[in-house]
Amino acid sequence: MGRRSNTSDSRRYYDWLDYAEADITAALDLSDKEETYLCSAFHCQQAIEKTLKAYFLYEDGYAPDGHNIVFLCRKLSGKYREFEQWIDECIETNNYYIQTRYPPDKPLDITKNKLEYLIRSAKRLFDFTLKQIENDLRREENGNNRTDKGNTKR
């Protein structure tokens, strides 16, 4: 049986950005106590995933299924080279999807410094993506319309 597209997920890029921002806030809130570091790291992964999917929706009108942020970032950077710079951060953060949600045989350790790096990476990618979209919308307002957009603007 093949994978099916989730038709209940929003197709509006700005909804995904709102949820990504909420994940960043949750990551920050959970970063105060060592016992919630892994939960915080999970929210960093989620923020990056939702940010990348938001850009897919903005540019193409669809977001691929899946949670592998390395795959998502590489796929984006194939069309939009400016995303190549985020592949290393995605590699660093990708493991915090499954391993943080279920107890592994070998516990996943995370330091405060590593967690701070993950939060910074998620926030920087979010800010970068938001700026890309805002710059594009500004160009459109100034008469440099692009007709290849797959999704309605906010």
Side-chain angles (χ1 to χ4, degrees), residues 61 65 90 117 125:
D65 279 344
C90 288
Y117 167 80
L125 175 59

Side-chain angles (χ1 to χ4, degrees), residues 5-147:
S5 177
N6 188 346
T7 58
S8 65
D9 289 343
S10 174
R11 297 184 59 78
R12 295 181 302 259
Y13 73 92
Y14 46 85
D15 291 340
W16 287 80
L17 289 173
D18 288 345
Y19 274 66
E21 190 170 35
D23 278 313
I24 292 168
T25 300
L28 285 166
D29 290 347
L30 293 166
S31 68
D32 291 334
K33 296 179 184 168
E34 191 172 352
E35 60 267 17
T36 57
Y37 283 3
L38 290 176
C39 294
S40 178
F42 169 73
H43 283 285
C44 292
Q45 186 280 340
Q46 287 290 283
I48 291 174
E49 178 185 333
K50 290 168 189 166
T51 298
L52 294 173
K53 287 183 176 184
Y55 200 75
F56 272 110
L57 286 165
Y58 174 75
E59 285 290 352
D60 300 332
Y62 85 97
D65 279 344
H67 307 286
N68 185 322
I69 58 177
V70 177
F71 168 79
L72 293 171
C73 191
R74 283 188 175 143
K75 188 169 174 107
L76 257 185
S77 65
K79 283 180 88 174
Y80 312 104
R81 300 196 116 211
E82 58 271 18
F83 280 89
E84 285 180 356
Q85 66 183 307
W86 301 104
I87 291 174
D88 288 341
E89 282 86 347
C90 288
I91 290 169
E92 288 287 326
T93 310
N94 202 47
N95 287 334
Y96 296 99
Y97 177 64
I98 296 291
Q99 287 90 333
T100 57
R101 294 174 49 217
Y102 305 104
D105 290 333
K106 182 181 176 212
L108 187 62
D109 289 326
I110 186 168
T111 65
K112 180 72 170 174
N113 286 341
K114 177 69 169 193
L115 182 57
E116 288 171 349
Y117 167 80
L118 296 174
I119 293 170
R120 272 193 317 274
S121 294
K123 179 72 171 126
R124 287 179 54 235
L125 175 59
F126 177 86
D127 291 343
F128 170 83
T129 303
L130 192 59
K131 187 175 178 105
Q132 293 290 115
I133 292 170
E134 287 172 347
N135 288 343
D136 190 49
L137 291 173
R138 200 170 296 114
R139 280 191 299 274
E140 285 185 12
E141 286 176 2
N142 292 331
N144 297 331
N145 289 346
R146 288 179 52 187
T147 58

